[in-house]
Amino acid sequence: MNEHDERGTAMTGVDPSRLDDQQLMKELETIHRTRHETLLHGSNDALSTHNERMARLEGEYLRRNPRRTVAAGRTREGARDRGTGESATPALD
């Protein structure tokens, strides 16, 4: 599907806001799985396109899930606590 965003550059894939939750998760899984290969071996254009698509998909996920569960160890405080051997508390109330 060839759509254009507000900057007039070609956009690849379906607009993330048009995907249902299951489709969005499948797209996210695919783009994360292909990330390393694109970084190592993709052209600059391919990497740029990958970056833009990933940002759009992740942004949509975050928009839909503003109160997603955050693992304590994935916060700055949690990472510091891992270094001292203390256990961290959950990041969200």
Side-chain angles (χ1 to χ4, degrees):
M1 174 182 233
N2 287 329
E3 295 180 6
H4 295 277
D5 68 18
E6 55 278 356
R7 296 170 301 198
T9 58
M11 181 178 79
T12 60
V14 176
D15 184 330
S17 67
R18 302 177 113 204
L19 300 171
D20 65 30
D21 288 345
Q22 185 176 4
Q23 292 168 324
L24 179 62
M25 289 307 296
K26 184 175 180 183
E27 289 284 322
L28 283 165
E29 290 167 3
T30 298
I31 204 157
H32 286 127
R33 187 178 63 249
T34 61
R35 179 65 181 170
H36 190 71
E37 187 72 16
T38 304
L39 175 64
L40 294 179
H41 305 293
S43 67
N44 287 342
D45 286 343
L47 186 57
S48 178
T49 298
H50 205 273
N51 287 342
E52 290 174 21
R53 180 69 174 163
M54 185 181 307
R56 291 176 57 91
L57 290 166
E58 289 178 345
E60 181 63 19
Y61 177 82
L62 293 172
R63 185 189 70 76
R64 293 182 193 188
N65 300 282
R67 298 196 47 83
R68 72 195 192 289
T69 302
V70 175
R74 301 298 296 179
T75 65
R76 287 182 181 171
E77 182 180 340
R80 286 186 200 111
D81 288 344
R82 275 195 317 260
T84 63
E86 298 176 21
S87 67
T89 56
L92 293 177
D93 297 326

